[in-house]
Amino acid sequence: MLTKWPAKLQLYPRDKTDQCIVAIAGRALGNDVKSVSLVVLRNQQRYQYARVAVDSITRSFAFKPTIKAELSQYSFQLFTHRDPPGDSVQVAFRDSIVCGDVFLITGQSNAVGRFADKPFQSEFCRTFGVNNGAVDYNPADTAWCLTNTTEGANALWGVELQRLIKEQQGIPTAIINGAVGSTTITDHANRDGNQPARMNSLYGRLFYRASKAGIVGQVKAMIWRQGEAEAVSDPTVYVRVFPQLYSYWKQDYPGLKKVYHSQINILTDNVVSAGVLRDFQRRSKTIFGDNEPIATVGLPGYQGLHYTEAGYRQFSLELYRLVARDFYASTDTSNIQSPNLQRLYYSTPAQDEITLEFEPDQEMHWPADTTITNPATGARYTQSLSNFIYTNYPTGESGLIKSVIEKDNRLILKLTKSITAKHLTYLPSSYKDNQVGYYVGPVIRNRRGMRALTFYQVPIAPPLPVASDFRATPVDTTAIKLSWDTASDSVSQWSIERADTGGLFKPLAVVPGAATFYKDLRRANGADSLKLGKIYEYRVRSLGRRAESGYSPVATASLQLVVGVKIGPELDLTNAGSLSNSSALVYPNPASDQVRVRLPLDWSGDAITLTLTNEAGMVVLQRNNQVSSGTSFLSFSVAALPVGTYVLIMQYRTGGVRCRLTVIH
């Protein structure tokens, strides 16, 4: 008698080692059975063999063979061996067993989808039980089967997901679909607290099937397409109930790693707060972390509620790329997710420009005006996205966009006038016209064609101040000092950029918001170090948590060598003490050995620091000298230094001097 034995067509979930254990156990009924053997076949070829003795008291036996997650089918043959020895007897046989991954689908009609005209079938694509809609469930419907068969009907896009995983990843899958058309989120969240597998609810019937399949702890992801029912009635219900439904999933499916959360399309029913529901779906990734929102707006074949086969196939392709990234280490990860708005702010003090900022890796594109053909009449008309970007929706304005600048992950909207709007909405809560009848107009996309998630009444952050009186001043050959006067509590950081004569600005530094200056130091041996004779351009902009400013006017500077040696405010290194009008003299210059520095009269009797740096800015000589009263000069040797041009810096308590010194031999 077998107590553990694979079911016909069963899929076992794979573990972290890309394999699984097929537990086999039972009790021998005859006292003369002394041992039991198991033969495992892989694609009809012998793969494993094991033989165990039957326990003399309990008559029990057990095997734990492993099979791989691959496009292979495994068979199991069980034999008994009696005493006295004789031929073994086959007592059980099971074939068509696979190891792979399990996904769940639930929601309403778009999760049921439609069925393909030419359905795809594969021995490596499976399901469990029967999704018979909202009618009572037969507890006996607990068999494994292939998808797209009479007993295993599944959504077109769900089967397409299985096909792509099979063909691209070589992994068998099982998808269990619990979706039912015209159902509400409350229907799906109706869970019996003590008996979650009770079959008097949608939740219970799906959980019952998963429990009977033995996969509740190994479900990879929940794919959720629902919300249309609430969008035409009370959208706030969705916002209130989804967190509870999500908590049930996490409790009952402990291995759940992702929730692919579809954002519904624009419906024709005039319910303004439908935008609230769609925006909650957009923000689900921020709220729950493991949610991945997917935009459905802009899918081909939209019919006002459902889609043609083309729309469901496109959805399955986009879903597959996310699944492949999350579970199959796919390297195709760039711009595969729906762009999701991260920040929205006025980017000029005049508030005649708004910046839409998406995730850092997105490459955003604004659509051209779209020509639409009425399929019923053949009439053609044009729609511009500018007419579907709203300030202070639903009572504000649209059509305010004069032009759009595409800049990596940002879209910079140039407006026709300055505005004072508090929030912005992308696409209306509902739409119905006299042509097609539903929205099939232009949408924001990234470079892979993924549509941006729609957003509703997102606050526009106020503009940050632009740096005023921005200057760049050379500090001899050691640095260029940048300074600005702006100070604001709303500024978190200042981003500084530099361009050389090539004109390409590159990030240089980021300093705290309270800063009003920065020194671009000349560094030794650095590839990007400042060089003598080059002209450098600088610009700065303010950064905040919610916004960024535009750039300051460009300031230009160049490192300068000081040929003569003077004492004056522009050469003062200490900014302290009184300044003398006397002069210092360095000789000989050029020098090959001893160098003398004639000191001004008011320098004697105190400490002097002497520093010599090469053209790369490295210190090659440094001395501290206590000058006796009446001493008129200092001397030092350059005999050991390589030929070249150096900068001599001398510091005194009331000032300092710099000059160029040439060494020859």
Side-chain angles (χ1 to χ4, degrees):
M1 180 178 67
L2 293 171
T3 56
K4 293 182 180 180
W5 184 245
K8 182 181 179 181
L9 295 172
Q10 183 165 356
L11 179 143
Y12 286 83
R14 65 175 173 138
D15 60 21
K16 294 180 180 179
T17 64
D18 289 331
Q19 59 185 5
C20 62
I21 296 174
V22 179
I24 295 173
R27 287 188 300 111
L29 298 180
N31 291 329
D32 58 341
V33 176
K34 299 303 180 182
S35 62
V36 179
S37 62
L38 178 71
V39 176
V40 182
L41 303 179
R42 176 174 176 263
N43 296 328
Q44 307 305 317
Q45 300 297 315
R46 186 163 173 147
Y47 179 66
Q48 293 176 6
Y49 174 81
R51 181 169 176 171
V52 298
V54 173
D55 186 275
S56 60
I57 299 175
T58 64
R59 310 299 296 157
S60 63
F61 61 89
F63 298 93
K64 291 186 177 181
T66 59
I67 62 175
K68 298 178 181 180
E70 60 183 359
L71 297 183
S72 295
Q73 295 196 83
Y74 292 82
S75 303
F76 298 86
Q77 298 173 334
L78 192 67
F79 297 87
T80 58
H81 303 270
R82 301 176 181 274
D83 190 21
D87 292 338
S88 59
V89 177
Q90 180 176 306
V91 294
F93 174 76
R94 185 70 77 214
D95 63 358
S96 303
I97 307 303
V98 296
C99 174
D101 290 334
V102 181
F103 301 88
L104 301 183
I105 294 174
T106 191
Q108 58 184 106
S109 55
N110 275 313
V112 176
R114 59 174 289 158
F115 305 107
D117 295 332
K118 296 180 180 179
F120 169 80
Q121 292 182 6
S122 169
E123 64 271 31
F124 299 108
C125 300
R126 304 186 177 187
T127 187
F128 184 87
V130 177
N131 183 7
N132 58 351
V135 301
D136 291 338
Y137 192 84
N138 182 356
D141 287 335
T142 56
W144 286 92
C145 55
L146 302 182
T147 52
N148 267 342
T149 56
T150 303
E151 69 274 27
N154 214 327
L156 164 62
W157 61 262
V159 176
E160 276 294 285
L161 174 63
Q162 290 185 277
R163 180 185 69 82
L164 289 166
I165 294 174
K166 168 189 173 288
E167 294 178 354
Q168 301 297 321
Q169 305 299 330
I171 299 292
T173 55
I175 286 185
I176 303 177
N177 192 323
V180 178
S182 301
T183 52
T184 68
I185 192 170
T186 305
D187 293 333
H188 288 276
N190 181 17
R191 174 186 180 273
D192 189 310
N194 298 318
Q195 301 180 60
R198 284 189 64 182
M199 290 178 288
N200 61 347
S201 67
L202 296 177
Y203 189 96
R205 288 195 282 274
L206 178 59
F207 187 69
Y208 174 81
R209 292 164 66 195
S211 299
K212 287 296 183 179
I215 52 84
V216 291
Q218 294 91 15
V219 174
K220 294 288 187 183
M222 180 72 73
I223 307 165
W224 170 247
R225 287 195 69 166
Q226 200 276 334
E228 292 90 349
E230 287 70 36
V232 301
S233 57
D234 186 356
T236 61
V237 173
Y238 187 98
V239 178
R240 185 176 69 252
V241 175
F242 181 82
Q244 185 62 66
L245 175 60
Y246 172 78
S247 71
Y248 292 155
W249 290 339
K250 300 297 283 187
Q251 175 182 337
D252 293 331
Y253 303 102
L256 198 66
K257 297 295 189 297
K258 295 289 291 188
V259 174
Y260 297 103
H261 194 152
S262 294
Q263 185 190 56
I264 65 170
N265 212 317
I266 302 171
L267 304 180
T268 59
D269 302 78
N270 185 20
V271 180
V272 172
S273 57
V276 174
L277 187 157
R278 293 207 313 266
D279 201 67
F280 176 83
Q281 293 175 326
R282 176 185 72 86
R283 293 181 292 110
S284 64
K285 187 170 187 175
T286 301
I287 300 170
F288 303 104
D290 60 0
N291 276 221
E292 183 68 50
I294 306 173
T296 59
V297 65
L299 278 174
Y302 185 50
Q303 299 173 321
L305 177 61
H306 301 130
Y307 302 80
T308 65
E309 186 172 317
Y312 290 120
R313 288 187 182 277
Q314 181 65 27
F315 178 78
S316 68
L317 172 62
E318 295 168 358
L319 174 63
Y320 164 73
R321 290 192 300 229
L322 297 171
V323 170
R325 175 198 67 186
D326 297 334
F327 296 106
Y328 302 105
S330 171
T331 58
D332 179 17
T333 60
S334 177
N335 283 244
I336 64 171
Q337 72 271 33
S338 297
N340 197 340
L341 185 71
Q342 303 297 298
R343 295 200 299 181
L344 175 66
Y345 53 89
Y346 288 110
S347 39
T348 59
Q351 297 190 179
D352 59 356
E353 179 180 290
I354 297 176
T355 294
L356 280 59
E357 183 178 323
F358 297 84
E359 297 97 335
D361 60 340
Q362 295 280 7
E363 184 179 319
M364 302 305 301
H365 295 295
W366 182 264
D369 292 352
T370 301
T371 300
I372 299 169
T373 301
N374 185 330
T377 65
R380 295 164 66 86
Y381 62 106
T382 301
Q383 285 185 339
S384 171
L385 188 57
S386 175
N387 295 322
F388 299 97
I389 302 287
Y390 306 89
T391 61
N392 293 343
Y393 185 84
T395 60
E397 299 179 273
S398 63
L400 296 176
I401 300 172
K402 179 172 58 177
S403 61
V404 178
I405 298 175
E406 300 172 350
K407 188 176 181 182
D408 300 326
N409 66 321
R410 301 175 186 182
L411 295 173
I412 303 170
L413 313 183
K414 300 283 188 177
L415 308 181
T416 58
K417 62 180 181 179
S418 297
I419 62 174
T420 59
K422 298 300 182 183
H423 53 75
L424 200 72
T425 293
Y426 163 53
L427 296 185
S429 293
S430 63
Y431 179 81
K432 188 173 185 178
D433 63 18
N434 295 323
Q435 296 290 334
V436 174
Y438 41 85
Y439 191 78
V440 290
V443 294
I444 297 172
R445 300 175 186 266
N446 66 14
R447 69 174 178 83
R448 297 284 293 274
M450 290 299 299
R451 290 88 46 213
L453 295 153
T454 68
F455 55 84
Y456 177 80
Q457 293 185 353
V458 176
I460 309 174
L464 290 182
V466 177
S468 61
D469 196 23
F470 181 55
R471 300 184 181 186
T473 306
V475 184
D476 199 322
T477 60
T478 61
I480 293 176
K481 182 180 179 180
L482 310 174
S483 62
W484 56 95
D485 291 342
T486 308
S488 172
D489 293 337
S490 60
V491 177
S492 301
Q493 296 174 313
W494 294 96
S495 174
I496 302 168
E497 297 181 6
R498 181 180 77 190
D500 58 18
T501 49
L504 178 63
F505 279 96
K506 296 180 180 180
L508 176 63
V510 175
V511 298
T516 57
F517 73 91
Y518 174 78
K519 281 189 176 181
D520 185 11
L521 298 174
R522 184 182 179 200
R523 294 177 173 82
N525 301 322
D528 60 345
S529 178
L530 296 174
K531 294 179 174 58
L532 298 178
K534 267 197 173 185
I535 299 174
Y536 294 94
E537 295 181 324
Y538 296 88
R539 64 186 185 185
V540 63
R541 60 178 175 149
S542 57
L543 309 178
R545 184 179 63 85
R546 297 178 55 202
E548 298 179 3
S549 76
Y551 286 102
S552 67
V554 173
T556 304
S558 178
L559 292 178
Q560 299 175 358
L561 280 171
V562 179
V563 180
V565 181
K566 295 183 179 180
I567 301 174
E570 73 278 4
L571 298 176
D572 179 20
L573 301 180
T574 64
N575 293 319
S578 61
L579 299 172
S580 170
N581 291 323
S582 57
S583 300
L585 177 65
V586 179
Y587 63 94
N589 192 359
S592 60
D593 191 356
Q594 290 293 314
V595 178
R596 288 194 168 195
V597 182
R598 191 183 71 187
L599 303 177
L601 296 178
D602 59 349
W603 281 38
S604 61
D606 213 330
I608 296 176
T609 300
L610 182 150
T611 305
L612 198 63
T613 61
N614 61 19
E615 285 191 292
M618 295 181 60
V619 176
V620 297
L621 176 66
Q622 190 167 53
R623 287 172 45 182
N624 293 315
N625 298 272
Q626 183 68 41
V627 181
S628 302
S629 179
T631 301
S632 60
F633 66 88
L634 289 176
S635 64
F636 60 92
S637 176
V638 295
L641 297 179
V643 170
T645 301
Y646 297 82
V647 175
L648 173 64
I649 305 171
M650 297 182 67
Q651 291 178 273
Y652 179 61
R653 62 182 176 82
T654 61
V657 298
R658 291 185 182 87
C659 73
R660 181 173 60 186
L661 172 64
T662 302
V663 175
I664 59 175
H665 295 303

PDB file of all heavy atoms in Angstrom, residues 22 59 104 108 135 163 339 355 400 404 414 455 458 504 549 563 567 618:
ATOM      1  N   VAL A  22      11.164  13.605  -4.933  1.00  0.00           N
ATOM      2  CA  VAL A  22       9.887  12.931  -5.144  1.00  0.00           C
ATOM      3  C   VAL A  22       9.741  11.894  -4.029  1.00  0.00           C
ATOM      4  O   VAL A  22      10.361  10.832  -4.080  1.00  0.00           O
ATOM      5  CB  VAL A  22       9.814  12.274  -6.534  1.00  0.00           C
ATOM      6  CG1 VAL A  22       8.484  11.565  -6.725  1.00  0.00           C
ATOM      7  CG2 VAL A  22      10.025  13.321  -7.625  1.00  0.00           C
ATOM      8  N   ARG A  59       6.607  -2.926   8.494  1.00  0.00           N
ATOM      9  CA  ARG A  59       6.475  -3.303   7.090  1.00  0.00           C
ATOM     10  C   ARG A  59       6.574  -2.095   6.156  1.00  0.00           C
ATOM     11  O   ARG A  59       6.149  -2.131   5.008  1.00  0.00           O
ATOM     12  CB  ARG A  59       5.140  -4.048   6.824  1.00  0.00           C
ATOM     13  CG  ARG A  59       4.835  -5.183   7.761  1.00  0.00           C
ATOM     14  CD  ARG A  59       5.900  -6.270   7.671  1.00  0.00           C
ATOM     15  NE  ARG A  59       5.914  -6.874   6.349  1.00  0.00           N
ATOM     16  CZ  ARG A  59       6.961  -7.501   5.808  1.00  0.00           C
ATOM     17  NH1 ARG A  59       8.099  -7.583   6.470  1.00  0.00           N
ATOM     18  NH2 ARG A  59       6.881  -8.036   4.599  1.00  0.00           N
ATOM     19  N   LEU A 104       0.547  31.505  -9.740  1.00  0.00           N
ATOM     20  CA  LEU A 104      -0.898  31.629  -9.593  1.00  0.00           C
ATOM     21  C   LEU A 104      -1.390  32.868 -10.318  1.00  0.00           C
ATOM     22  O   LEU A 104      -0.702  33.894 -10.349  1.00  0.00           O
ATOM     23  CB  LEU A 104      -1.295  31.715  -8.113  1.00  0.00           C
ATOM     24  CG  LEU A 104      -0.912  30.548  -7.196  1.00  0.00           C
ATOM     25  CD1 LEU A 104      -1.464  30.789  -5.799  1.00  0.00           C
ATOM     26  CD2 LEU A 104      -1.402  29.223  -7.748  1.00  0.00           C
ATOM     27  N   GLN A 108     -10.292  39.292 -12.181  1.00  0.00           N
ATOM     28  CA  GLN A 108     -11.567  39.195 -12.860  1.00  0.00           C
ATOM     29  C   GLN A 108     -11.353  38.908 -14.333  1.00  0.00           C
ATOM     30  O   GLN A 108     -10.384  38.218 -14.690  1.00  0.00           O
ATOM     31  CB  GLN A 108     -12.430  40.423 -12.591  1.00  0.00           C
ATOM     32  CG  GLN A 108     -11.850  41.766 -12.983  1.00  0.00           C
ATOM     33  CD  GLN A 108     -12.775  42.915 -12.568  1.00  0.00           C
ATOM     34  OE1 GLN A 108     -12.497  43.623 -11.623  1.00  0.00           O
ATOM     35  NE2 GLN A 108     -13.881  43.117 -13.312  1.00  0.00           N
ATOM     36  N   VAL A 135     -19.435  29.065  -9.738  1.00  0.00           N
ATOM     37  CA  VAL A 135     -20.339  28.006  -9.274  1.00  0.00           C
ATOM     38  C   VAL A 135     -19.632  27.148  -8.241  1.00  0.00           C
ATOM     39  O   VAL A 135     -18.421  27.240  -8.038  1.00  0.00           O
ATOM     40  CB  VAL A 135     -20.801  27.145 -10.459  1.00  0.00           C
ATOM     41  CG1 VAL A 135     -21.513  28.005 -11.493  1.00  0.00           C
ATOM     42  CG2 VAL A 135     -19.622  26.418 -11.112  1.00  0.00           C
ATOM     43  N   ARG A 163       4.565  29.066 -22.207  1.00  0.00           N
ATOM     44  CA  ARG A 163       5.303  28.748 -23.438  1.00  0.00           C
ATOM     45  C   ARG A 163       6.658  29.444 -23.473  1.00  0.00           C
ATOM     46  O   ARG A 163       7.686  28.830 -23.807  1.00  0.00           O
ATOM     47  CB  ARG A 163       4.477  29.156 -24.662  1.00  0.00           C
ATOM     48  CG  ARG A 163       5.166  28.856 -25.990  1.00  0.00           C
ATOM     49  CD  ARG A 163       4.376  29.376 -27.177  1.00  0.00           C
ATOM     50  NE  ARG A 163       4.356  30.831 -27.231  1.00  0.00           N
ATOM     51  CZ  ARG A 163       5.335  31.581 -27.738  1.00  0.00           C
ATOM     52  NH1 ARG A 163       6.444  31.003 -28.212  1.00  0.00           N
ATOM     53  NH2 ARG A 163       5.223  32.891 -27.765  1.00  0.00           N
ATOM     54  N   PRO A 339       7.467  52.324 -16.818  1.00  0.00           N
ATOM     55  CA  PRO A 339       8.024  53.509 -16.148  1.00  0.00           C
ATOM     56  C   PRO A 339       7.057  54.039 -15.087  1.00  0.00           C
ATOM     57  O   PRO A 339       5.860  54.172 -15.334  1.00  0.00           O
ATOM     58  CB  PRO A 339       8.200  54.500 -17.295  1.00  0.00           C
ATOM     59  CG  PRO A 339       8.309  53.656 -18.527  1.00  0.00           C
ATOM     60  CD  PRO A 339       7.415  52.487 -18.285  1.00  0.00           C
ATOM     61  N   THR A 355       9.095  69.132 -14.654  1.00  0.00           N
ATOM     62  CA  THR A 355       9.906  67.951 -14.943  1.00  0.00           C
ATOM     63  C   THR A 355       9.240  66.706 -14.378  1.00  0.00           C
ATOM     64  O   THR A 355       8.869  66.669 -13.201  1.00  0.00           O
ATOM     65  CB  THR A 355      11.312  68.098 -14.364  1.00  0.00           C
ATOM     66  OG1 THR A 355      11.997  69.152 -15.051  1.00  0.00           O
ATOM     67  CG2 THR A 355      12.119  66.812 -14.527  1.00  0.00           C
ATOM     68  N   LEU A 400      -1.552  72.663 -22.155  1.00  0.00           N
ATOM     69  CA  LEU A 400      -0.616  73.726 -21.784  1.00  0.00           C
ATOM     70  C   LEU A 400       0.813  73.447 -22.227  1.00  0.00           C
ATOM     71  O   LEU A 400       1.696  74.279 -22.008  1.00  0.00           O
ATOM     72  CB  LEU A 400      -0.621  73.927 -20.268  1.00  0.00           C
ATOM     73  CG  LEU A 400      -1.933  74.422 -19.642  1.00  0.00           C
ATOM     74  CD1 LEU A 400      -1.797  74.476 -18.128  1.00  0.00           C
ATOM     75  CD2 LEU A 400      -2.301  75.788 -20.196  1.00  0.00           C
ATOM     76  N   VAL A 404       8.419  69.444 -25.424  1.00  0.00           N
ATOM     77  CA  VAL A 404       8.916  68.495 -24.426  1.00  0.00           C
ATOM     78  C   VAL A 404      10.358  68.156 -24.752  1.00  0.00           C
ATOM     79  O   VAL A 404      10.695  67.858 -25.895  1.00  0.00           O
ATOM     80  CB  VAL A 404       8.071  67.206 -24.385  1.00  0.00           C
ATOM     81  CG1 VAL A 404       8.646  66.215 -23.382  1.00  0.00           C
ATOM     82  CG2 VAL A 404       6.614  67.527 -24.035  1.00  0.00           C
ATOM     83  N   LYS A 414       7.817  71.983 -21.333  1.00  0.00           N
ATOM     84  CA  LYS A 414       7.848  73.434 -21.494  1.00  0.00           C
ATOM     85  C   LYS A 414       6.404  73.914 -21.687  1.00  0.00           C
ATOM     86  O   LYS A 414       5.723  73.490 -22.620  1.00  0.00           O
ATOM     87  CB  LYS A 414       8.687  73.824 -22.704  1.00  0.00           C
ATOM     88  CG  LYS A 414      10.144  73.378 -22.631  1.00  0.00           C
ATOM     89  CD  LYS A 414      10.944  74.267 -21.698  1.00  0.00           C
ATOM     90  CE  LYS A 414      12.424  73.952 -21.772  1.00  0.00           C
ATOM     91  NZ  LYS A 414      13.230  74.848 -20.916  1.00  0.00           N
ATOM     92  N   PHE A 455      -0.811  58.354 -13.660  1.00  0.00           N
ATOM     93  CA  PHE A 455      -0.802  58.878 -12.290  1.00  0.00           C
ATOM     94  C   PHE A 455      -1.897  59.927 -12.129  1.00  0.00           C
ATOM     95  O   PHE A 455      -2.349  60.546 -13.103  1.00  0.00           O
ATOM     96  CB  PHE A 455       0.570  59.430 -11.895  1.00  0.00           C
ATOM     97  CG  PHE A 455       1.143  60.477 -12.809  1.00  0.00           C
ATOM     98  CD1 PHE A 455       0.798  61.818 -12.678  1.00  0.00           C
ATOM     99  CD2 PHE A 455       2.059  60.129 -13.804  1.00  0.00           C
ATOM    100  CE1 PHE A 455       1.337  62.788 -13.505  1.00  0.00           C
ATOM    101  CE2 PHE A 455       2.604  61.087 -14.644  1.00  0.00           C
ATOM    102  CZ  PHE A 455       2.236  62.429 -14.497  1.00  0.00           C
ATOM    103  N   VAL A 458      -0.866  63.978  -8.614  1.00  0.00           N
ATOM    104  CA  VAL A 458       0.438  63.942  -7.940  1.00  0.00           C
ATOM    105  C   VAL A 458       0.887  65.382  -7.674  1.00  0.00           C
ATOM    106  O   VAL A 458       0.926  66.199  -8.603  1.00  0.00           O
ATOM    107  CB  VAL A 458       1.482  63.201  -8.790  1.00  0.00           C
ATOM    108  CG1 VAL A 458       2.856  63.262  -8.127  1.00  0.00           C
ATOM    109  CG2 VAL A 458       1.056  61.758  -9.002  1.00  0.00           C
ATOM    110  N   LEU A 504      31.898  69.461 -22.885  1.00  0.00           N
ATOM    111  CA  LEU A 504      31.042  68.419 -22.317  1.00  0.00           C
ATOM    112  C   LEU A 504      31.098  68.494 -20.792  1.00  0.00           C
ATOM    113  O   LEU A 504      32.136  68.246 -20.182  1.00  0.00           O
ATOM    114  CB  LEU A 504      31.501  67.035 -22.787  1.00  0.00           C
ATOM    115  CG  LEU A 504      30.723  65.841 -22.221  1.00  0.00           C
ATOM    116  CD1 LEU A 504      29.260  65.896 -22.663  1.00  0.00           C
ATOM    117  CD2 LEU A 504      31.364  64.525 -22.663  1.00  0.00           C
ATOM    118  N   SER A 549      16.749  72.167  -9.217  1.00  0.00           N
ATOM    119  CA  SER A 549      16.677  73.435  -9.940  1.00  0.00           C
ATOM    120  C   SER A 549      17.300  73.292 -11.315  1.00  0.00           C
ATOM    121  O   SER A 549      17.948  72.280 -11.630  1.00  0.00           O
ATOM    122  CB  SER A 549      17.418  74.528  -9.169  1.00  0.00           C
ATOM    123  OG  SER A 549      18.824  74.361  -9.315  1.00  0.00           O
ATOM    124  N   VAL A 563      54.072  85.454 -12.205  1.00  0.00           N
ATOM    125  CA  VAL A 563      55.463  85.635 -12.590  1.00  0.00           C
ATOM    126  C   VAL A 563      56.200  86.511 -11.602  1.00  0.00           C
ATOM    127  O   VAL A 563      57.254  86.173 -11.091  1.00  0.00           O
ATOM    128  CB  VAL A 563      55.548  86.224 -14.013  1.00  0.00           C
ATOM    129  CG1 VAL A 563      56.995  86.406 -14.417  1.00  0.00           C
ATOM    130  CG2 VAL A 563      54.833  85.300 -14.993  1.00  0.00           C
ATOM    131  N   ILE A 567      53.432  91.303  -2.432  1.00  0.00           N
ATOM    132  CA  ILE A 567      52.629  91.053  -1.247  1.00  0.00           C
ATOM    133  C   ILE A 567      51.390  91.920  -1.349  1.00  0.00           C
ATOM    134  O   ILE A 567      51.508  93.127  -1.507  1.00  0.00           O
ATOM    135  CB  ILE A 567      53.403  91.405   0.034  1.00  0.00           C
ATOM    136  CG1 ILE A 567      54.682  90.560   0.100  1.00  0.00           C
ATOM    137  CG2 ILE A 567      52.551  91.191   1.261  1.00  0.00           C
ATOM    138  CD1 ILE A 567      55.564  90.931   1.240  1.00  0.00           C
ATOM    139  N   MET A 618      52.382  68.316  -6.748  1.00  0.00           N
ATOM    140  CA  MET A 618      52.994  67.545  -5.665  1.00  0.00           C
ATOM    141  C   MET A 618      54.017  68.395  -4.934  1.00  0.00           C
ATOM    142  O   MET A 618      54.802  69.142  -5.547  1.00  0.00           O
ATOM    143  CB  MET A 618      53.673  66.284  -6.212  1.00  0.00           C
ATOM    144  CG  MET A 618      52.720  65.277  -6.836  1.00  0.00           C
ATOM    145  SD  MET A 618      53.594  63.805  -7.428  1.00  0.00           S
ATOM    146  CE  MET A 618      54.310  63.221  -5.887  1.00  0.00           C
TER     147      MET A 618
END
